[in-house]
Amino acid sequence: MTGIEPQEPHEPHEPKEPHDLTRLSINQETVKQWSLPELAAGCTAAGIGSVGLWRAPVQEYGVERAARLMRDSGLTVTSLCRGGFFTARDPELRARALDDNRAAIDEAAELATGTLVLVSGGLPAADRDIAAARERVADALAELAPYAAERGVRLALEPLHPMYASDRCVISTLGQALDIAERFPAEQVGVVVDTYHLWWDDLAPAHTARAGAGGRIAAFQLADWVTPLPEGVLLGRGQLGDGCIDLRGWHRRVDAAGYRGAVEVEIFNPALWARDGAEVLAEVAERYVRHAL
Amino acid sequence: MTGIEPQEPHEPHEPKEPHDLTRLSINQETVKQWSLPELAAGCTAAGIGSVGLWRAPVQEYGVERAARLMRDSGLTVTSLCRGGFFTARDPELRARALDDNRAAIDEAAELATGTLVLVSGGLPAADRDIAAARERVADALAELAPYAAERGVRLALEPLHPMYASDRCVISTLGQALDIAERFPAEQVGVVVDTYHLWWDDLAPAHTARAGAGGRIAAFQLADWVTPLPEGVLLGRGQLGDGCIDLRGWHRRVDAAGYRGAVEVEIFNPALWARDGAEVLAEVAERYVRHAL
């Protein structure tokens, strides 16, 4: 991948060297139209050495088989999405969630990724106590973190945009995620910095520095913010550069905080899924270089 | 306000005495199906003495005529929605926005409301610098606050939910709103506490106390949070009690912060607009007593 010009939104300039894709990781949801073998072949062909995987397609393909495919393709699995959904009050539902998360940890270990992304879960039906729900997330981490650590997996708590606070994730800001993560050793519980979820928050830069200083940035994910949001607000993430997020600024910010890991592009967008996967992948790489490097 | 027992969401009980609706104000968007005369007659019939108005229907009816109607009906106008949209970089657009806001201030004065609600505006096209956009909001307030103060109108900066940060309002939290409002005298610039926008924010309670201590709570608005959000996320507000917000807790919080003003119900919801206005108004009053008093 050469000849892609990095540029400021308003100040394009000529590149001097080929662009480095070594930190770029493709979350498989970005090219959801691809099977796992297609993903492996497509990334290899595009010179991309890392992927983020999701549990459902991995389970469908077979966890061991997926792990072998990634190994044989020379691909690094930068994260597994996702465990979590810890917020049930009902003891039976809660026990089931913990069991499911132990299985997710086992899967992450099998895939040789050190990072299991966790989405906390929303408020149970008729529950109006979001502070208590957040405490149940901390309680679940206390049960799971040692189990994960024994298997070489770090739990990566992901704050989701506040528009998901009731139905998907009661942890809405990086500050909230850190307040919980910091109760545990940094090698056991980290946080995810995802531009889509955090871009609007004036406190997020300071919390990124705090997360970096504590060695807690477990993953860094990119997607752009575009409107209007679709019904349900789940599948409206923008291709890099199509929205209003200063992606390059965020990349520099996590790097300045000491992060040296993968930069994972995770875009849920049916318009991308309707296109040829290789074309989408090439576009993502080009946009990454132009808007985020 | 006597005889209403605080109650949990799951334990409805019978009231023992009539309920005090004196602080209840109906924002006219909640019963958008009604003309201004219908609103005035409907509120009077229901024993509700205050309304929040919007500029467009007031202008359509005639500002002076609307002011007379409210006076003659014995109704207090608790707020006028809305000025703002200050974030343009283009000098001509910016000048036009300031002119429009001066007109809004004049309209508020004519309606004898001391509170003009301001929604900041989003990011201009191709602009990725949200911090700079927030500063332009502060710059606009500096130009408008003295003009408003001379006319007995306080500017009420409203933080909107972060899902509106790019296209409607770059001020997303009460903390951000206060950081700007506090640069001005409290009698000139206050903030709006709206449960729909702030419920998810663990820092909002502390900022509510801060706002109250500084005498800056200019308005308190209620709507409930329900999902799934509709496309565009504008018209998905829930009737009181239908969602996950602890409305009573928020009412107590603003009161504990020293607020003694109106409690304005502002629900944008096409399902309410499709019904008989008087029926909706009665339901709002009943829900207010049951969930927010």
Side-chain angles (χ1 to χ4, degrees), chain A residues 43-79:
Chain A
C43 285
T44 304
I48 295 167
S50 302
V51 293
L53 300 181
W54 278 67
R55 292 185 70 196
V58 164
Q59 288 169 348
E60 199 177 313
Y61 188 76
V63 183
E64 266 194 64
R65 198 171 156 224
R68 192 164 51 240
L69 173 65
M70 295 300 133
R71 267 198 315 274
D72 292 349
S73 308
L75 288 169
T76 300
V77 181
T78 52
S79 73

Side-chain angles (χ1 to χ4, degrees), chain A residues 126 128 134 176 200 202 229 232, chain B residues 9 134 176 200 202 229 232:
Chain A
R128 296 185 172 104
R134 290 184 183 130
Q176 290 169 0
W200 60 271
D202 60 326
L229 294 164
Chain B
R134 289 183 183 129
Q176 291 170 359
W200 60 271
D202 60 325
L229 294 164

Side-chain angles (χ1 to χ4, degrees), chain B residues 137-157:
Chain B
V137 175
D139 293 345
L141 290 178
E143 297 209 30
L144 294 171
Y147 182 93
E150 284 167 19
R151 284 149 188 83
V153 175
R154 180 153 74 154
L155 304 177
L157 199 54

Side-chain angles (χ1 to χ4, degrees), chain A residues 76-158:
Chain A
T76 300
V77 181
T78 52
S79 73
L80 179 65
C81 296
R82 63 193 182 182
F85 295 88
F86 295 134
T87 47
R89 283 180 308 194
D90 177 81
E92 194 181 326
L93 290 177
R94 180 182 161 76
R96 213 181 297 164
L98 291 173
D99 283 345
D100 185 53
N101 275 277
R102 287 186 200 96
I105 291 164
D106 294 342
E107 290 159 21
E110 176 80 42
L111 292 164
T113 179
T115 304
L116 176 65
V117 174
L118 301 182
V119 170
S120 311
L123 281 168
D127 191 332
R128 296 185 172 104
D129 189 348
I130 194 167
R134 290 184 183 130
E135 280 308 307
R136 292 196 293 278
V137 175
D139 294 345
L141 289 178
E143 296 210 31
L144 294 171
Y147 183 93
E150 284 168 19
R151 284 151 187 83
V153 174
R154 180 153 74 154
L155 304 177
L157 199 54
E158 179 164 24

